[in-house]
């Protein structure tokens, strides 16, 4: 029986469910819809960290599952389904995304995390309308997600073990099936029950209704196809290539109009435009805009928790209650408990049985004395950047120009103005830059094979984070860190213990006025973008003058024309856009940095006598160029360890 009228509208459409989940098949078949099942081969391996929210990740995975099936069917059958439906269910707790457990141990750690606490279940769904013109597949994607809040009661170890032994957790997101034995674990569920089971049926029907019965004066979205008879289940669609797919593959093969996750569908745009034109009813709730309006509060909560050293208090892994944490600060419990709960919601803390502990993310980066701590960076933003941005309007209205004292004059690179800074301020800046430098140091050190250099000089090398990575990668290399005396007087506390210390020496000096130490390889990391052209030429000509034939210059910096790598995946393109946004935001309060394009950096190196300029990336934000001074006999080969040689000069 078909209760939902919109399902009747689909009676003559060829509908495909791109899922191997028996639960999804069962739920969807309850609508009376006739559909075929073609399990997706999309490998669920999108970078979770690159998504702003867990549900954006689930939606994008659902979309890629559906697109992979649409493309495969189009290619193999030369018959295109009308509609392909994909879904992905995840569980989120304490900032972590849990999918299906890989084994019993994984199931145990998932269920232990969920024990006695509340978590969210998100199912992302993509409805892909397909049509084929001139042999090309065109797709129109509608995507949405549903959230259900589920609370587990306090469960005994024995119960968890028995439940895991039942085998039920294996193919279930978060390691439990609410519809079966797992129902015993659940104290309460707020929201759509079927959403937890794997498919938010109610929301699905509402979305179809919205698509097929749009508001008055907006004609229904017409997709004209030859009606095809609905077919029976056909799990094994042949595929000569075999294997799975990834995001880039499915988008490219489709050649369609699939948008990146989180963006509005055309139908939503049309609906909003229609309601704006006619004034019928309120426009759609602008959730993205409201998140943007509130975004600063989340940053400030993180800053405050770092300032209070909440994550340091919890670093020894003994969970503490709000009252215990409050008493360490000598503060009333109420406000502290609220801050801690906000940190839980932000994925920085976990809360179990009313006690708080650090998430992995916080243990790794927010404790002040761990190897990859970003605590210094957070404090720098709290103590300086925050104030600068509160004067943003003044900075913009005053604008650049003669006599312009930009708000951020004091915050540029250490080597420019550290003489003016108090010791505490210098130390704060060193902590901020050290954290970031450590995170990228290994990628920079291995961007090219530098093993034939025996001595390197890192100009403006600050705390020696990159020097240590170079020494670790190249045991024959002696590295000199050359920086201002007032910088080097603070670096002792940043030095790790270990063998590489013998390979490194710190030499005080000013690279504009004093002779540069001898070295085969000079390194400049994030220096040139702090200086205007005349100073850059001065510095490069000094390096070129000191560099022996066969020696090299390794240049590391951000570039303004970043577009992500060639054939960038959706993730990479998004990251590049975010880096651009970050730079643009900084440009609002700091004096405009001398951002250069990759081609400009390459030309700068060439102009100062460096040849065979090779270029690659190090992580998300940095580009690395290596140029060599020609030796009289032969050019020194440059071999990237990874990545591609994008440009080689004759
Ligand atoms: O309470 C329950 N929670 C979750 C489930 C089932 O868990 C899986 C979730 O995994 P995923 O979304 O990746 O889907 P797959 O099973 O891998 O199938 P696809 O081919 O669509 O990727 C899902 O099957 C839920 O039904 C449950 O049963 N109960």
């Amino acid at each position: 029986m078909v209760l939902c009228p919109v399902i009747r509208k689909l009676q003559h459409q060829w509908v495909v469910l791109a899922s191997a989940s028996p639960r999804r098949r069962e739920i969807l078949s309850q609508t009376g819809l006739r559909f075929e099942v073609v399990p997706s081969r999309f490998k669920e391996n999108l970078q979770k960290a690159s998504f702003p929210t867990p549900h954006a990740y689930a939606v994008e995975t659902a979309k890629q599952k559906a697109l992979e099936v649409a493309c495969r069917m189009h290619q193999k059958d030369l018959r295109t389904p009308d509609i392909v439906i994909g879904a992905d269910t995840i569980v989120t707790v304490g900032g972590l995304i849990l999918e299906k457990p890989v084994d019993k141990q994984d199931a145990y750690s998932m269920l232990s995390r969920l024990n006695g606490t509340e978590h969210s279940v998100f199912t992302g769904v993509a409805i892909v309308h397909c049509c084929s013109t001139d042999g090309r597949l065109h797709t129109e994607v509608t995507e949405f997600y549903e959230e259900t809040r589920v609370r587990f009661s306090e469960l005994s170890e024995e119960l968890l073990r028995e439940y895991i032994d039942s085998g039920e957790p294996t193919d279930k997101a978060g390691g439990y099936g609410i519809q079966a034995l797992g129902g015993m674990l659940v104290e309460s569920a707020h929201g759509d029950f079927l959403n937890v089971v794997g498919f938010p049926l109610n929301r699905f029907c509402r979305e179809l209704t919205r698509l097929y019965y749009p508001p008055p004066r907006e004609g229904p979205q017409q997709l004209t196809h030859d009606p095809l008879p609905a077919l029976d289940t056909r799990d094994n669609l042949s595929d000569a290539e075999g294997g799975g797919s990834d995001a880039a593959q499915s988008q490219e093969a489709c050649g369609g109009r699939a948008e990146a996750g989180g963006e509005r569908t055309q139908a939503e745009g049309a609906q909003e435009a229609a309601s704006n034109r006619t004034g019928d009813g309120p426009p759609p709730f602008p959730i993205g805009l409201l998140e943007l309006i509130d975004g600063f509060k989340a940053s400030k909560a993180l800053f405050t928790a770092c300032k209070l050293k909440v994550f340091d208090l919890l670093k020894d892994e003994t969970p503490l209650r709000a009252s215990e944490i409050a008493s360490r600060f000598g503060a009333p419990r109420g406000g502290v408990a609220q801050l801690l709960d906000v940190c839980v919601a932000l994925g920085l803390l976990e809360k179990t049985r009313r006690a708080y502990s650090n998430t992995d993310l916080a243990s790794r980066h927010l404790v002040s004395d761990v190897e990859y701590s970003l605590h210094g960076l957070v404090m720098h933003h709290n103590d300086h950047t925050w104030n600068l941005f509160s004067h943003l309007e003044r900075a913009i209205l005053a604008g650049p120009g003669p006599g312009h004292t930009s708000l951020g004059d004091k915050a540029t690179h250490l080597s420019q103005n550290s003489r003016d800074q108090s010791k505490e301020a210098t130390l704060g800046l060193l902590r901020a830059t050290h954290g970031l430098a450590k995170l990228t140091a290994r990628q920079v050190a291995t961007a090219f094979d530098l093993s034939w250099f025996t001595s390197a000089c890192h100009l403006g090398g600050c705390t020696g984070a990159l020097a240590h990575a170079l020494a670790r990668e190249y045991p024959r290399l002696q590295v000199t860190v050359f920086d201002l005396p007032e910088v080097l007087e603070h670096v002792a506390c940043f030095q790790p213990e270990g063998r590489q210390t013998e390979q490194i020496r710190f030499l005080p000096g000013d690279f504009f006025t004093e002779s540069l130490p001898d070295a085969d390889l000079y390194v400049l990391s994030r220096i040139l973008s702090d200086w205007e052209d005349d100073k850059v030429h001065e510095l490069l000509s000094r390096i070129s003058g000191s560099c022996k034939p066969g020696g090299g210059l390794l240049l590391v910096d951000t570039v303004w024309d970043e577009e992500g790598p060639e054939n960038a995946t959706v993730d990479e393109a998004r990251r590049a856009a975010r880096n651009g946004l970050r730079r643009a935001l900084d440009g609002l309060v700091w004096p405009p940095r001398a951002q250069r394009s990759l081609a400009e950096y390459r030309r700068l190196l060439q102009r100062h006598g460096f040849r065979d300029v090779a270029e690659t990336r190090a992580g998300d934000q940095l580009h690395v160029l290596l140029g060599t001074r020609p030796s009289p006999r032969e050019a020194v080969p440059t071999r990237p360890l990874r990545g591609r040689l994008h440009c080689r000069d004759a």
Side-chain angles (χ1 to χ4, degrees), residues 34 111 154 173 218 259 275 380 420 466 475 523 536 596 618-619:
R34 295 184 68 199
L111 292 169
E154 303 278 354
E218 185 67 18
E259 298 291 334
S275 84
H380 178 69
D420 306 336
L466 178 54
V523 180
V536 164
R596 297 178 176 84

Side-chain angles (χ1 to χ4, degrees), residues 116-396:
T117 185
E118 194 180 54
H119 62 270
S120 284
V121 182
F122 291 101
T123 298
V125 177
I127 305 172
V128 179
H129 281 91
C130 312
C131 69
S132 173
T133 35
D134 301 331
R136 276 176 63 81
L137 175 68
H138 297 276
T139 55
E140 183 90 47
V141 184
T142 299
E143 55 195 34
F144 57 90
Y145 70 89
E146 193 67 29
E147 177 180 8
T148 307
R149 304 280 304 163
V150 177
R151 173 175 283 282
F152 273 22
S153 49
E154 303 278 354
L155 305 163
S156 67
E157 197 69 1
E158 195 189 358
L159 181 76
L160 288 187
R161 296 275 177 208
E162 274 187 26
Y163 179 59
I164 291 164
D165 286 340
S166 76
E168 194 174 279
T170 317
D171 59 347
K172 318 274 182 333
Y176 72 96
I178 196 170
Q179 71 279 16
L181 286 177
M184 287 190 291
L185 318 180
V186 173
E187 189 176 296
S188 64
H190 294 286
D192 184 351
F193 178 85
L194 292 181
N195 182 52
V196 183
V197 184
F199 198 77
L201 187 58
N202 177 274
R203 177 75 190 271
F204 174 74
C205 292
R206 282 189 284 132
E207 288 294 327
L208 284 182
T209 308
R210 203 173 57 77
L211 279 175
Y212 284 84
Y213 299 97
R217 304 217 292 135
E218 185 67 18
Q221 188 187 14
Q222 287 294 336
L223 292 172
T224 47
H225 307 293
D226 292 337
L228 286 160
L231 306 174
D232 289 324
T233 303
R234 197 176 48 143
D235 284 19
N236 294 319
L237 193 73
S238 74
D239 179 351
E241 280 89 56
S245 169
D246 62 24
Q249 274 174 329
S250 57
Q251 298 246 352
E252 197 178 301
C254 288
R257 288 173 285 156
E259 298 291 334
E263 290 184 18
R264 296 178 322 155
T265 62
Q266 289 198 339
E268 280 168 334
Q271 193 190 25
E272 189 179 349
S275 84
N276 286 344
R277 277 198 303 278
T278 59
D280 294 345
F285 193 73
I287 185 73
L289 180 60
L290 286 164
E291 276 170 12
L292 194 56
I293 292 169
D294 273 347
F296 75 100
K297 297 177 192 166
S299 298
K300 193 63 184 173
L302 161 64
F303 296 175
T304 306
C306 277
K307 181 110 191 168
L308 293 170
K309 298 228 168 152
V310 167
F311 308 103
D312 283 31
L313 256 183
L314 296 169
K315 78 173 178 180
D316 63 4
E317 290 173 15
T318 312
L320 295 177
R321 288 176 172 246
S323 52
E324 293 170 299
I325 297 173
S327 76
R328 309 264 176 114
F329 303 147
R333 186 190 167 281
V336 173
Q338 271 172 309
L339 177 67
L340 297 171
D341 285 336
V342 167
C343 289
V344 172
L346 293 175
L348 309 174
L349 291 180
E350 277 169 20
K351 187 177 181 182
T352 327
R353 293 178 200 138
R354 291 203 256 143
Y356 299 86
S357 52
N358 285 341
T359 59
D360 290 346
L361 189 70
S363 302
R364 233 177 288 134
H365 299 300
L366 297 178
V367 173
S368 63
D369 59 358
V370 289
E371 184 170 13
Y372 293 102
S373 175
L374 292 175
H375 187 272
L377 183 68
V378 174
M379 285 301 88
H380 178 69
H381 285 322
N382 184 61
D383 298 341
H384 301 284
T385 323
W386 183 265
N387 293 336
L388 292 178
F389 270 85
S390 69
H391 299 295
L392 184 56
E393 184 185 339
R394 182 155 64 82
I396 288 169

Side-chain angles (χ1 to χ4, degrees), residues 18-24 27 39-40 42 44 61 65 86-91 99-100 121 123 171-180 193 195-199:
S19 174
S21 167
R23 279 77 55 182
R24 290 197 180 113
I27 294 171
S40 178
F42 175 71
E44 297 179 38
T61 305
K65 285 181 184 179
D88 189 62
T89 303
I90 57 167
V91 164
E99 300 181 283
K100 289 172 292 189
V121 182
T123 298
D171 59 347
K172 318 274 182 333
Y176 72 96
I178 196 170
Q179 71 279 16
F193 178 85
N195 182 52
V196 183
V197 184
F199 198 77

Side-chain angles (χ1 to χ4, degrees), residues 6-131:
V6 76
I7 297 291
R8 231 170 274 129
K9 283 216 170 206
L10 301 183
Q11 289 291 42
H12 298 293
Q13 306 256 6
W14 181 8
V15 180
V16 168
L17 174 64
S19 174
S21 167
R23 279 77 55 182
R24 290 197 180 113
R25 183 188 307 187
E26 198 184 323
I27 294 171
L28 197 57
S29 61
Q30 282 165 10
T31 62
L33 181 70
R34 295 184 68 199
F35 60 91
E36 180 180 346
V37 174
V38 180
S40 178
R41 293 177 183 174
F42 175 71
K43 287 187 191 131
E44 297 179 38
N45 58 3
L46 298 174
Q47 283 285 317
K48 296 189 182 72
S50 68
F51 289 89
T53 56
H55 52 77
Y57 166 78
V59 166
E60 183 66 19
T61 305
K63 185 171 84 179
Q64 296 303 334
K65 285 181 184 179
L67 286 173
E68 188 278 324
V69 167
C71 293
R72 186 153 41 99
M73 293 184 76
H74 173 73
Q75 281 168 356
K76 299 295 167 198
D77 274 21
L78 292 176
R79 284 200 316 165
T80 311
D82 295 309
I83 296 173
V84 181
I85 301 161
D88 189 62
T89 303
I90 57 167
V91 164
T92 66
V93 61
L96 273 182
I97 294 181
L98 308 182
E99 300 181 283
K100 289 172 292 189
V102 290
D103 54 25
K104 283 188 172 185
Q105 184 52 42
D106 200 20
Y108 176 76
S109 77
M110 286 185 183
L111 292 169
S112 310
R113 273 182 192 283
L114 303 180
N115 195 1
T117 185
E118 194 180 54
H119 62 270
S120 284
V121 182
F122 291 101
T123 298
V125 177
I127 305 172
V128 179
H129 281 91
C130 312
C131 69

